[in-house]
Amino acid sequence: MKNLTLKQLRYFEALARHGHFGRAADACSISQPALSVQIKELEESLGTPLFERSPRHVRLTSFGESFAGRARTILQSVDELGEMARAARGRLYGRLRIGVIPTIAPYLLPKLISHLDEAHPELDVHIRETVTPRLIDELSDGQIDVAIVALPVSEPWMTEVPLFDESMVLVRHESQAELPVPSPDALRAMRLLLLEEGHCFRDQALSFCNIQTAVPREGLDGSSLSTLVQMVGAGIGVTLIPEMAIPVEGRAAPVCVDRFTGKEPSRTVGMIWRKTNPLAHQFDALCDIVRKSGQL
Amino acid sequence: MKNLTLKQLRYFEALARHGHFGRAADACSISQPALSVQIKELEESLGTPLFERSPRHVRLTSFGESFAGRARTILQSVDELGEMARAARGRLYGRLRIGVIPTIAPYLLPKLISHLDEAHPELDVHIRETVTPRLIDELSDGQIDVAIVALPVSEPWMTEVPLFDESMVLVRHESQAELPVPSPDALRAMRLLLLEEGHCFRDQALSFCNIQTAVPREGLDGSSLSTLVQMVGAGIGVTLIPEMAIPVEGRAAPVCVDRFTGKEPSRTVGMIWRKTNPLAHQFDALCDIVRKSGQL
DNA sequence: AATTCTTCATAAGATGAAGTTATCGTAACA
DNA sequence: TGTTACGATAACTTCATCTTATGAAGAATT
């Protein structure tokens, strides 16, 4: 006993509508015998007749009528499926899960989300904020689609696309505004407040100052840039923040912000995703949106 | 660009569930390449990928997930369609439209409907009560499925099945109970009340008395047997009714009921339906139920 | 009553879709 | 650096489906 096919349902629907094999076959762009055979096979596979044939009319049986109702619903759902696919074709669709590291998230997301909302109003954006290694794990097992981090991450199974470079700037207590900007080496001698272990921004700051990361440091690590800046405002030390954070953090405490002279320290912000993700092309478009959001 | 098939949806569902081409193919009882090809064609026909393939996992894309939801619904509806067919296979199903002539309906239907309810509780029985020629018309253009009438009707495109024979009996005013039962010829001289034009029972009565149907008669035709019997009860004349009507009409007025002696007049009650109706076999079973209901 | 028309069913052959086995390429793993 | 696991691809086979041609049967026509 063979199986029901969508084709048969389509043919059936046409015949139910036209009540005439020839015209229904025309409507389906097939020959009349082809339709006859398919209807016959449909009836056989159901084990019960759908039509009453007489030389004059072709009429649905009572069962045929119930069948027609449901068949139409099904065909419609299938067509909607096609519609849905057409709508989704080649664009971001449905749920998009973005991971962002904490030294970027608060400064980038407000703009990014409003831009995304504008470009893809139907998109369901989820945000995950955590440190790079964890983002990479979650990327790896499919919990998120893309991540915005500091490059490089150098995972061979990932695509990484640079978005923009960004300087790191010095934050001192406002009382020190007149003092000259210290060199990296001078900085090493100062009380430099850093994010806790795990944040890549901490490592970048340390490497700028040529400090061995292995050496244990005094217990003054903050859990967010915001915390660090507040501590600087309280006169406890100095810290580094990315340019992006200036508009927010530079006003939030009695501090002054200065660029370094000479070779400025910087980080590259970029987006990463699984190479195997078939939405790669759409992600390129996403990069453009993120870039726009990252501009001050 | 080819068309979506149910097969593809089934394969897709399996792959979404197993996340593994080999195992999904097993589940579908086909080879892995066959599955690969079908999934590929499905994705191509949709114009957008459904899965992200990596050597480790096969994962649904975000679009794939929405697609899977709807696909499952569709597959389920299709299976229900099969279920429905299996339930309906070879039995009366859904709506059954029965036509009955007025000289049978009130005496047969109460029993018939309760028997039908018992045998086919899910059956949706519709009743149409009118005279034979009209029933034949309605049968012809599919407004009813079967009709219960007096045979023969002799339409070549119909099947007619006799159900039972039934005598016609004489109804007189109770004051005449002691008088002998008149012969047909004697009857002709009496005031014989008949149904109005169009009822076959009228013609049967006339032919029993050898009265020319063409001859116009006094304007005393009733629109139902019940009316006729009430008139007899009022002493206006005599009438004939079928046996079946005795239990109801014999008690409803001051009348007496007598069988004719010698050759009793009778009619054959039978069921008719379009020869082309594929439910013919089920209708035979229906005949049995009607026969049972017709027994006193 | 014979004939023609209409319409659906059936048959035979052609075409196309879908399945099979065999094999390859690639990334992960030891 | 082989080895393994897995999906993609290719060549071929099988089966489903379509087309054209034809048959059968009732309705309409003459």
Side-chain angles (χ1 to χ4, degrees):
Chain A
M1 185 137 321
K2 288 182 39 188
N3 236 335
L4 201 72
T5 70
L6 273 186
K7 229 180 234 180
Q8 287 174 340
L9 286 192
R10 291 229 151 82
Y11 293 172
F12 164 79
E13 201 280 327
L15 182 54
R17 192 143 41 77
H18 290 97
H20 187 286
F21 278 76
R23 283 190 278 282
D26 271 359
C28 298
S29 312
I30 56 169
S31 66
Q32 170 265 315
L35 187 106
S36 281
V37 168
Q38 287 304 317
I39 296 294
K40 195 178 151 199
E41 285 189 356
L42 175 59
E43 290 179 321
E44 268 168 20
S45 90
L46 293 175
T48 190
L50 292 165
F51 293 97
E52 169 180 342
R53 287 101 156 137
S54 74
R56 199 162 269 310
H57 306 284
V58 174
R59 258 194 295 266
L60 283 168
T61 61
S62 154
F63 171 70
E65 269 176 43
S66 341
F67 192 88
R70 283 167 176 265
R72 271 187 258 270
T73 315
I74 289 175
L75 289 175
Q76 198 179 326
S77 310
V78 170
D79 292 345
E80 278 168 14
L81 215 57
E83 285 288 312
M84 186 170 80
R86 188 134 28 84
R89 189 176 304 178
R91 47 172 72 184
L92 290 170
Y93 177 88
R95 185 198 47 192
L96 176 67
R97 293 159 308 181
I98 309 179
V100 192
I101 55 174
T103 51
I104 297 181
Y107 318 116
L108 178 69
L109 287 183
K111 264 197 188 170
L112 174 57
I113 288 180
S114 79
H115 283 156
L116 272 178
D117 256 15
E118 202 177 302
H120 301 275
E122 78 298 344
L123 199 62
D124 177 21
V125 180
H126 291 223
I127 299 293
R128 170 79 172 127
E129 178 180 339
T130 187
V131 293
T132 305
R134 180 155 248 148
L135 287 180
I136 291 179
D137 282 352
E138 300 188 353
L139 214 41
S140 150
D141 51 55
Q143 292 179 55
I144 57 178
D145 300 308
V146 299
I148 298 171
V149 298
L151 299 187
V153 292
S154 305
E155 293 282 350
W157 48 273
M158 283 197 321
T159 302
E160 42 187 272
V161 171
L163 294 168
F164 45 83
D165 284 355
E166 185 184 34
S167 299
M168 290 157 67
V169 296
L170 180 66
V171 181
R172 292 179 292 178
H173 188 267
E174 61 181 358
S175 63
Q176 307 182 311
E178 302 305 318
L179 298 179
V181 177
S183 69
D185 289 337
L187 205 65
R188 201 173 346 160
M190 301 174 71
R191 195 173 208 175
L192 180 60
L193 305 176
L194 291 178
L195 288 174
E196 54 201 6
E197 198 71 64
H199 291 269
C200 55
F201 193 80
R202 170 198 172 95
D203 304 326
Q204 286 148 8
L206 288 172
S207 99
F208 172 60
C209 308
N210 292 310
I211 300 175
Q212 302 302 339
T213 55
V215 174
R217 295 173 36 80
E218 25 178 348
L220 281 171
D221 300 335
S223 66
S224 73
L225 293 179
S226 198
T227 308
L228 295 182
V229 173
Q230 292 305 320
M231 288 168 71
V232 171
I236 296 173
V238 303
T239 193
L240 302 179
I241 62 171
E243 272 183 290
M244 205 181 229
I246 299 174
V248 174
E249 309 296 354
R251 283 155 194 43
V255 297
C256 67
V257 175
D258 295 287
R259 306 187 83 88
F260 288 98
T261 54
K263 183 179 66 74
E264 278 191 307
S266 74
R267 65 174 181 180
T268 303
V269 172
M271 198 154 80
I272 58 179
W273 58 79
R274 295 183 297 279
K275 277 203 174 104
T276 53
N277 194 318
L279 280 67
H281 188 256
Q282 284 89 295
F283 291 160
D284 288 336
L286 180 59
C287 283
D288 292 340
I289 297 180
V290 180
R291 257 185 219 109
K292 209 172 74 182
S293 312
Q295 278 157 18
L296 303 179
Chain B
M1 184 138 324
K2 288 180 38 188
N3 235 336
L4 200 70
T5 69
L6 275 186
K7 234 179 230 179
Q8 288 173 339
L9 286 191
R10 292 229 151 83
Y11 294 172
F12 164 79
E13 201 279 329
L15 182 54
R17 193 142 40 79
H18 289 96
H20 187 285
F21 278 76
R23 283 190 277 281
D26 270 0
C28 300
S29 311
I30 56 168
S31 65
Q32 170 265 315
L35 187 106
S36 281
V37 169
Q38 286 305 315
I39 295 295
K40 196 179 149 191
E41 286 189 354
L42 175 58
E43 290 179 321
E44 268 168 20
S45 91
L46 293 174
T48 188
L50 293 165
F51 293 97
E52 170 180 341
R53 287 101 156 136
S54 73
R56 203 164 266 310
H57 305 284
V58 174
R59 257 194 295 264
L60 283 168
T61 61
S62 153
F63 171 71
E65 269 176 43
S66 340
F67 191 87
R70 283 166 176 265
R72 270 186 258 271
T73 314
I74 290 175
L75 290 176
Q76 198 179 324
S77 311
V78 171
D79 291 346
E80 278 167 15
L81 215 58
E83 285 288 313
M84 186 170 81
R86 188 135 28 83
R89 189 176 305 176
R91 48 172 71 186
L92 290 171
Y93 177 92
R95 186 197 47 194
L96 175 67
R97 295 159 306 182
I98 309 179
V100 191
I101 55 175
T103 51
I104 297 181
Y107 319 115
L108 178 70
L109 287 182
K111 265 195 186 173
L112 174 57
I113 288 179
S114 79
H115 283 154
L116 271 177
D117 255 16
E118 202 178 303
H120 302 274
E122 77 299 343
L123 199 61
D124 178 20
V125 180
H126 291 224
I127 298 292
R128 170 80 173 128
E129 178 180 338
T130 187
V131 294
T132 305
R134 179 156 248 148
L135 287 181
I136 290 178
D137 283 352
E138 299 188 354
L139 215 39
S140 150
D141 51 55
Q143 293 179 55
I144 57 177
D145 300 307
V146 298
I148 297 171
V149 299
L151 299 186
V153 293
S154 306
E155 293 283 351
W157 48 273
M158 284 198 319
T159 301
E160 41 187 272
V161 171
L163 294 168
F164 46 83
D165 284 356
E166 186 184 32
S167 299
M168 289 159 66
V169 296
L170 179 68
V171 182
R172 292 178 293 179
H173 189 268
E174 61 182 356
S175 62
Q176 308 182 311
E178 304 305 317
L179 298 179
V181 176
S183 70
D185 290 336
L187 207 64
R188 203 175 341 163
M190 302 172 71
R191 196 174 207 176
L192 180 61
L193 305 176
L194 291 176
L195 288 173
E196 54 202 7
E197 198 72 64
H199 291 270
C200 56
F201 193 80
R202 169 196 174 95
D203 304 326
Q204 286 147 8
L206 288 172
S207 101
F208 172 61
C209 308
N210 294 309
I211 300 175
Q212 302 303 340
T213 57
V215 173
R217 295 172 37 80
E218 23 181 349
L220 282 172
D221 299 336
S223 65
S224 73
L225 293 179
S226 199
T227 309
L228 296 183
V229 172
Q230 292 305 320
M231 288 168 71
V232 172
I236 296 173
V238 303
T239 192
L240 301 180
I241 62 171
E243 271 182 291
M244 207 182 225
I246 300 174
V248 174
E249 309 296 354
R251 282 154 195 44
V255 297
C256 67
V257 175
D258 296 287
R259 307 187 81 87
F260 287 96
T261 55
K263 183 179 66 73
E264 280 191 305
S266 74
R267 66 175 181 180
T268 302
V269 172
M271 198 156 82
I272 58 178
W273 58 81
R274 293 184 299 278
K275 278 205 174 101
T276 53
N277 195 317
L279 280 65
H281 188 255
Q282 283 90 293
F283 291 160
D284 288 336
L286 180 59
C287 282
D288 292 340
I289 297 179
V290 179
R291 256 183 221 111
K292 209 171 76 182
S293 312
Q295 276 157 18
L296 304 179

